[in-house]
Amino acid sequence: MIFELQEEHLAVQEAARDFAQKELKPGVIERDRDMLYPKEQVRKMAELGFLGMMVSPEYGGGGMDSLSYVLAMEEISKVDNSCSVIMSVNNSLVCWGIETFGTEEQKAKYLPKLAAGEWIGSFCLSEPEAGSDATSQRTTAVDKGDHYLLNGTKNWITNGGTSQVHLVIAQTNPDLGHKGINAFIVETGWEGVSIGAKEDKLGIRSSDTHTIMYTDVKVPKENRIGEDGFGFKFAMKTLSGGRIGIAAQALGIAGGAYELALAYSKEREAFGKPISRHQAIAFKLADMATEIEAAKLMVYRSAWLKDQKMDYSTASAMAKLFASEVAMRHTVEAVQIHGGYGFVKEYHVERLMRDAKITQIYEGTSEVQRIVISRNILKGQLYLPIWKNSLESIG
Ligand code: CAA
């Protein structure tokens, strides 16, 4: 077992760190306060290749592995989580979904624009009554021969106001349950697609989250992804990978808050010495560092499993569950270490605390991750593939 990043990974990590500190940090407080979409910052992310990192060079992407993507997500999430969620949805849900399951025509038509950031993608699964219970889709797509007629409403859609491409999950045959669900590539310019108002959120406030309405939208047959009835499995498989991205976001949030708390605790003095020298604060820092390190191993390992083409659905659910809970717990502690300064916007930690909350909710709540993990272990997948040999040899 080698716990070492390769040269190419270190280069991506440094480039993302540099970009986040120099280009994202200035103005992040104001963008969050005023809910301003980070248009210029997204343009720069596109220029640097952060929006299509894993897309094959054949379609204009960076051709990088999941670990590189995770490292970039982590660094960007230390600073600006509106930017990192835009990046995450575009990379690991939309581009990956189309490249892995799309037809050659779909890939050729959509990937070059999405990878270049010329177009941005949204993943449209959630509905008012189909959040965690994702099989209960009310949005319908009726087969009309050469096209489907799409009707319904999707909620809390990331990139909803700015995306040009939607991956829409809809019911095509209610009698078949999840086997009657399909996924479609829908363009926002098509007649019948309308965008609701931007949500005013607790965190990731400058990312644009909207309700989307589809009214008699004609979706050409060739825009269905996969075989008839593949839509629910498409969503589940795509979300298994997406969860690695959100786990990396949570890891970055926790790491960013820890770095700020550590630096502050060395500068701030109380009772004649830096507060880091008081056990009450030093032990908080020790707990933060320990749990962040554990989350890092889980997140990097789930990316590694994906890169090795091994089963990663349990690993990614575990990584997201743990990293998001670490992010929530330790951003609260980072605010506590900052005392009164932690409660004001200028010091960044309160924003990271607000951003942490969504990582326990989107791309599957913590409760959904526990459903996925418990079902998998009860099916007999007791250990992750990486541990299999050593456990067998012990047994
Ligand atoms: N890969 C392949 N197939 C899978 C799968 C996976 N990871 N997970 C489930 N399936 C298959 C099952 O094998 C089953 O197929 P068969 O009947 O052929 O065996 C089928 O899918 C149905 O599975 P379940 O019986 O497990 O379905 P369920 O109704 O019990 O639901 C659930 C399971 C895990 C709770 C699922 O509904 C779920 O993940 N819900 C959360 C949805 C979610 O993550 N939403 C996030 C919205 S997107 C977002 O947030 C993006 C953003 O903008 C940031």
Side-chain angles (χ1 to χ4, degrees):
M1 196 177 286
I2 303 162
F3 291 101
E4 219 172 40
L5 294 173
Q6 306 297 307
E7 288 281 322
E8 71 259 28
H9 295 132
L10 292 169
V12 170
Q13 188 183 48
E14 196 183 320
R17 185 178 299 154
D18 200 54
F19 170 70
Q21 297 297 330
K22 291 195 182 128
E23 305 279 352
L24 299 181
K25 201 162 194 173
V28 65
I29 293 171
E30 293 74 18
R31 292 195 298 276
D32 173 78
R33 183 190 63 208
D34 301 335
M35 290 170 46
L36 288 176
Y37 182 75
K39 196 170 169 202
E40 189 52 25
Q41 290 71 20
V42 171
R43 193 190 60 74
K44 285 184 184 154
M45 285 203 294
E47 224 172 71
L48 291 168
F50 288 128
L51 296 183
M53 292 184 73
M54 296 177 288
V55 174
S56 312
E58 188 188 342
Y59 302 111
M64 292 182 207
D65 59 12
S66 301
L67 187 55
S68 303
Y69 162 65
V70 154
L71 292 166
M73 275 295 296
E74 183 185 353
E75 291 306 321
I76 289 172
S77 302
K78 286 180 180 173
V79 178
D80 188 335
N81 288 286
S82 293
C83 284
S84 68
V85 73
I86 295 166
M87 172 177 162
S88 181
V89 169
N90 204 63
N91 272 283
S92 51
L93 295 182
V94 180
C95 289
W96 189 84
I98 295 177
E99 184 157 16
T100 310
F101 301 108
T103 61
E104 198 41 60
E105 291 71 27
Q106 290 168 350
K107 293 188 225 180
K109 181 167 180 196
Y110 294 105
L111 285 177
K113 285 190 168 128
L114 287 165
E118 203 179 310
W119 280 6
I120 298 288
S122 287
F123 191 80
C124 306
L125 170 69
S126 302
E127 296 185 1
E129 289 167 68
S132 293
D133 184 8
T135 54
S136 296
Q137 294 291 311
R138 296 282 165 90
T139 297
T140 55
V142 179
D143 192 340
K144 295 282 182 186
D146 64 339
H147 67 274
Y148 286 90
L149 206 56
L150 180 69
N151 278 288
T153 300
K154 296 288 176 180
N155 283 49
W156 314 290
I157 302 303
T158 303
N159 300 336
T162 44
S163 54
Q164 289 75 15
V165 176
H166 294 171
L167 297 188
V168 183
I169 314 298
Q171 186 64 255
T172 48
N173 188 343
D175 297 337
L176 295 178
H178 75 79
K179 293 192 169 107
I181 289 176
N182 274 296
F184 302 94
I185 307 175
V186 175
E187 295 180 26
T188 50
W190 291 350
E191 209 180 323
V193 180
S194 43
I195 317 290
K198 183 169 176 166
E199 300 286 357
D200 186 352
K201 309 187 294 285
L202 173 72
I204 55 162
R205 287 174 52 76
S206 62
S207 73
D208 60 323
T209 310
H210 293 253
T211 296
I212 315 274
M213 283 81 67
Y214 303 98
T215 313
D216 290 337
V217 180
K218 279 186 177 176
V219 183
K221 266 266 164 80
E222 62 266 23
N223 274 36
R224 190 185 72 208
I225 299 180
E227 292 296 306
D228 190 16
F230 178 64
F232 188 72
K233 289 200 177 173
F234 167 80
M236 291 297 106
K237 284 171 187 276
T238 305
L239 281 164
S240 282
R243 287 166 187 164
I244 301 176
I246 300 305
Q249 181 181 51
L251 177 63
I253 293 173
Y258 167 74
E259 286 171 17
L260 290 167
L262 181 67
Y264 178 81
S265 70
K266 287 182 185 167
E267 280 165 20
R268 167 82 178 179
E269 295 204 355
F271 307 102
K273 56 183 177 184
I275 59 170
S276 59
R277 306 286 292 275
H278 291 286
Q279 197 182 64
I281 301 299
F283 279 15
K284 281 189 198 299
L285 293 168
D287 287 344
M288 287 168 103
T290 304
E291 290 200 10
I292 291 168
E293 206 57 26
K296 188 173 287 194
L297 292 174
M298 294 177 82
V299 178
Y300 290 6
R301 187 186 55 186
S302 57
W304 180 85
L305 285 168
K306 184 162 182 261
D307 290 333
Q308 302 307 308
K309 308 211 179 320
M310 292 162 87
D311 183 9
Y312 54 88
S313 64
T314 312
S316 70
M318 286 177 169
K320 182 185 180 285
L321 172 64
F322 188 68
S324 64
E325 304 219 330
V326 165
M328 195 68 253
R329 195 156 47 241
H330 294 310
T331 50
V332 171
E333 288 294 55
V335 169
Q336 190 69 17
I337 291 172
H338 279 77
Y341 291 111
F343 205 63
V344 296
K345 296 195 182 280
E346 196 189 332
Y347 280 74
H348 297 281
V349 280
E350 65 80 37
R351 186 183 69 261
L352 292 172
M353 182 182 83
R354 287 186 284 105
D355 290 347
K357 189 62 208 167
I358 192 61
T359 66
Q360 295 178 305
I361 297 173
Y362 57 22
E363 299 202 22
T365 59
S366 291
E367 292 73 17
V368 162
Q369 306 313 321
R370 288 186 172 95
I371 294 177
V372 173
I373 297 162
S374 59
R375 282 186 183 172
N376 286 350
I377 59 177
L378 290 169
K379 265 193 276 178
Q381 196 187 324
L382 274 172
Y383 302 104
L384 300 173
I386 191 172
W387 307 130
K388 200 169 167 235
N389 291 340
S390 57
L391 284 162
E392 270 172 7
S393 62
I394 293 166

